[in-house]
Amino acid sequence: MGMKGKVALGAVVGIVVIGAVSANGGDGDGGSGDKGSSASAQRQAGGEKDAGAAESSEKKAAFAGDGDFEVGSDVKPGTYRTSGNTDDMCYWERAKDASGELDSLLANDNVSGTSYVTVKATDKLFKSSGCNDWEAVDPKAKGTPATKMAGDGGMFAVGTDIAPGTYKSTGNTDDMCYWERSKDAEHSLDSIIANNNVSGTAVVTISASDGYFKTTGCKDWQKTG
């Protein structure tokens, strides 16, 4: 996947690693004020809820989408969310120091749509460029899970943004469709449960025990079972 200035350690597009892929890290507790009230902007579409279809007008930013933030003083450890990003222009980075060197990277990604990131107390710096404002996620937030999601919508919280079950995406070309099931928003190798790059039809079963589902470059997903 593309990136701004550094090698994206996050979503691996074009490379399929069976069982676990990517590289990133994080943990902590969130605040409040999840964009789209975490139920990820939903609307009625043919009688079914569609995740990532709209945005809630009530938003409370924890910190801006552009800047370098020191963990502990500028930003508290916890899980945060940014939504409504387009064209992979949103880039975020967790770092263990402010040296700016590749070795300082703990996790990073380019984002279209929504991204959830867990900032750990042991992180030193969180960088964000070209993103919409970040909002703290309440880990106890409830939502009405959708049964559809945008194929380039980014990350969806399972059980809150989207319902668990089997989903299908059709008409994908050139292995540009990438999906990922993860157990948390740490973006580490250990976070990834399964992933794949797909041409044609993609079918994936999202478990109720999954934390998040990520989709980029895919056609829209519809729950089939």
Side-chain angles (χ1 to χ4, degrees):
M1 173 172 279
M3 53 157 272
K4 290 188 177 182
K6 292 182 181 175
V7 176
L9 301 177
V12 178
V13 177
I15 300 175
V16 177
V17 178
I18 298 176
V21 188
S22 276
N24 293 6
D27 104 319
D29 38 274
S32 61
D34 171 20
K35 229 177 216 181
S37 84
S38 189
S40 179
Q42 299 169 357
R43 70 179 178 188
Q44 290 301 114
E48 296 172 311
K49 296 180 181 66
D50 188 354
E55 284 297 322
S56 170
S57 59
E58 192 172 331
K59 304 171 184 178
K60 183 178 179 182
F63 55 95
D66 287 292
D68 295 350
F69 305 94
E70 290 187 282
V71 178
S73 57
D74 298 327
V75 57
K76 296 179 180 179
T79 299
Y80 296 89
R81 173 184 170 178
T82 179
S83 296
N85 301 288
T86 58
D87 302 325
D88 286 334
M89 294 305 293
C90 168
Y91 172 80
W92 63 259
E93 177 181 312
R94 291 174 46 237
K96 62 184 178 183
D97 57 47
S99 69
E101 298 176 3
L102 281 175
D103 287 345
S104 70
L105 279 177
L106 296 171
N108 70 348
D109 202 4
N110 290 112
V111 178
S112 278
T114 297
S115 183
Y116 288 86
V117 180
T118 298
V119 178
K120 300 181 69 171
T122 50
D123 295 354
K124 298 301 181 183
L125 200 67
F126 183 83
K127 295 185 177 184
S128 180
S129 175
C131 303
N132 287 332
D133 290 348
W134 292 85
E135 297 173 335
V137 175
D138 183 353
K140 298 179 181 179
K142 302 295 182 181
T144 305
T147 55
K148 287 183 178 181
M149 58 184 144
D152 208 31
M155 287 178 73
F156 299 95
V158 178
T160 305
D161 296 334
I162 56 168
T166 299
Y167 288 79
K168 180 182 288 186
S169 170
T170 60
N172 300 293
T173 58
D174 301 326
D175 284 335
M176 294 304 293
C177 170
Y178 173 80
W179 64 257
E180 178 183 304
R181 294 170 52 219
S182 57
K183 63 184 181 182
D184 53 42
E186 297 182 1
H187 297 269
S188 68
L189 279 171
D190 290 339
S191 297
I192 296 177
I193 299 168
N195 70 350
N196 203 2
N197 289 113
V198 181
S199 283
T201 299
V203 179
V204 59
T205 298
I206 300 170
S207 171
S209 61
D210 293 355
Y212 298 89
F213 181 77
K214 181 176 182 179
T215 172
T216 179
C218 302
K219 299 296 184 180
D220 291 351
W221 296 84
Q222 170 70 56
K223 190 172 183 291
T224 60

